[in-house]
Amino acid sequence: MSSEDVKTNESAVSTIVNLAGEAKLVHPPSLELLSICKSLLAGGVAGGVSRTAVAPLERLKILLQVQNPHNIKYNGTLQGLKYIWRTEGFKGLFKGNGTNCARIVPNSAVKFFSYEQASKGILWLYRQQTGNEDAQLTPLLRLGAGACAGIIAMSATYPLDMVRGRLTVQTEASPYQYRGMFHALSTVLRQEGPRALYRGWVPSVIGVVPYVGLNFAVYESLKDWLVKSNALGLNEGSDLGVTTRLACGAAAGTVGQTVAYPLDVVRRRMQMVGWKDASSIITGDRGSKAPLEYTGMIDAFRKTVKYEGFGALYKGLVPNSVKVVPSIAIAFVAYEQVKDILKVEIRISD
């Protein structure tokens, strides 16, 4: 046997031994799969915690969005919360939150995970295009990554959002009662068909682009700016405290929801179309008590402005603003804190 053959055999044996050693250290699931699971878990926890914390304001926002303009029971945030407490008690403040969490937990998990993966992919393409291996994501690229994440997460969980809206709107006065999320899903499927579960999907997806995109872009860009400008005497991203991250998240949420809110109103109203037993039905002028029918997103915009004025596109904005500031802030901070606990790297630009 030649010396070259011996060297080749020794190299092969060495490779096999090394692989065997690595196999002993890495048990299934693989490290990559484990990292994905931890990332999804962190996103799910962030969504559940943040949404439960603001559940009463979330319900009030939806009730204001679909309230009959000819039978207004409350106008303001405090007035609306007091009305719900007086008529439905403490449980009324959290009505629909179980369904909401069942939607937001997977939605948040997919959203944060998708943003990480989209950011990595976009950053790789950006570096290839510019030829700069040290290039970092710009605010515009972060906006694109956030938009991709929002569209994926929204599309994956939209039927849950649709029935959550109906569960939130129904009261004791509703002629027909959904008993829960799965009962609502099956009822809508049976009475209105599969397409009803995606009613309002187009404005939802359009709204997600600026909303989620701006959330991530503003949050990540603010954090980077604080570090690079040494505004608070910071040198490392890990030095950002919880209070600073909460402030960045609050700013991100405020910008995103203000831009996208009219689309959220239209989406919610389109979801109510076809539900003949809704306790609060959007109607046309005072001469007609028939519920409005929308042929599409543009028609919903037109009729809302025609019958109720431009301000109707921002119904519920105040409780939503009060809700969004802590909700987005808590979600971002909870996500990063959970990932820190799970020992998963959180800086996607590295």
Side-chain angles (χ1 to χ4, degrees):
M1 183 180 293
S2 66
S3 60
E4 292 183 359
D5 292 335
V6 172
K7 289 181 180 180
T8 301
N9 291 335
E10 287 178 351
S11 177
V13 171
S14 177
T15 302
I16 293 172
V17 170
N18 290 336
L19 290 174
E22 292 177 3
K24 290 180 180 179
L25 295 175
V26 182
H27 297 281
S30 67
L31 288 178
E32 183 179 357
L33 179 59
L34 186 60
S35 177
I36 291 173
C37 291
K38 287 180 177 180
S39 180
L40 290 170
L41 175 62
V45 170
V49 171
S50 64
R51 195 50 60 98
T52 300
V54 297
L57 292 168
E58 173 69 12
R59 186 180 185 221
L60 177 60
K61 179 202 76 170
I62 296 176
L63 289 175
L64 285 170
Q65 286 178 338
V66 301
Q67 186 174 219
N68 190 328
H70 306 310
N71 186 27
I72 296 177
K73 297 182 176 62
Y74 41 80
N75 289 310
T77 303
L78 291 178
Q79 185 183 7
L81 291 174
K82 287 179 180 178
Y83 179 84
I84 295 172
W85 177 279
R86 185 173 65 252
T87 57
E88 301 180 58
F90 178 78
K91 289 184 177 180
L93 295 173
F94 290 87
K95 182 172 290 184
N97 186 55
T99 305
N100 196 20
C101 285
R103 176 192 68 90
I104 203 62
V105 167
N107 179 282
S108 182
V110 173
K111 181 174 64 179
F112 277 101
F113 176 72
S114 298
Y115 177 73
E116 287 193 354
Q117 300 306 308
S119 296
K120 291 177 181 177
I122 290 174
L123 181 59
W124 181 84
L125 290 173
Y126 183 57
R127 287 175 174 174
Q128 293 294 314
Q129 184 180 16
T130 60
N132 181 7
E133 290 300 321
D134 296 323
Q136 299 299 319
L137 288 172
T138 64
L140 185 60
L141 293 177
R142 289 193 178 104
L143 177 65
C148 290
I151 291 172
I152 292 171
M154 169 64 72
S155 299
T157 59
Y158 191 79
L160 294 175
D161 178 71
M162 193 272 187
V163 298
R164 190 266 302 196
R166 293 197 174 187
L167 284 168
T168 301
V169 168
Q170 79 174 10
T171 66
E172 299 299 327
S174 300
Y176 185 84
Q177 295 286 323
Y178 294 128
R179 296 191 296 271
M181 179 178 65
F182 294 109
H183 179 248
L185 280 170
S186 61
T187 302
V188 172
L189 274 173
R190 185 176 64 255
Q191 294 183 352
E192 303 173 47
R195 293 184 61 183
L197 293 176
Y198 281 89
R199 189 175 286 136
W201 179 82
V202 172
S204 298
V205 169
I206 295 175
V208 151
V209 171
Y211 180 64
V212 179
L214 285 171
N215 281 344
F216 279 108
V218 173
Y219 180 73
E220 295 288 347
S221 298
L222 272 177
K223 288 201 308 176
D224 281 355
W225 176 79
L226 287 172
V227 174
K228 292 178 180 178
S229 66
N230 199 26
L232 301 175
L234 301 171
N235 294 317
E236 300 291 338
S238 58
D239 290 338
L240 285 174
V242 172
T243 303
T244 305
R245 294 186 204 176
L246 284 171
C248 292
T254 301
V255 173
Q257 65 96 28
T258 301
V259 172
Y261 193 78
L263 288 162
D264 187 56
V265 172
V266 169
R267 166 179 70 109
R268 195 65 64 191
R269 292 192 169 200
M270 290 179 70
Q271 288 177 346
M272 298 302 119
V273 172
W275 187 19
K276 59 182 177 58
D277 292 314
S279 60
S280 179
I281 301 175
I282 305 299
T283 59
D285 53 33
R286 292 183 180 276
S288 172
K289 296 300 180 182
L292 286 176
E293 293 291 335
Y294 305 123
T295 59
M297 182 183 68
I298 302 300
D299 186 54
F301 267 111
R302 183 181 63 80
K303 288 181 177 176
T304 298
V305 174
K306 175 183 177 181
Y307 292 116
E308 302 173 61
F310 184 80
L313 294 175
Y314 285 91
K315 275 188 174 181
L317 178 62
V318 173
N320 193 60
S321 298
V322 176
K323 176 204 73 169
V324 161
V325 170
S327 177
I328 298 299
I330 291 171
F332 276 119
V333 173
Y335 176 72
E336 295 189 342
Q337 291 296 106
V338 172
K339 291 198 76 174
D340 281 343
I341 293 172
L342 296 174
K343 306 297 181 184
V344 177
E345 185 65 30
I346 64 173
R347 291 190 62 81
I348 37 183
S349 60
D350 291 347

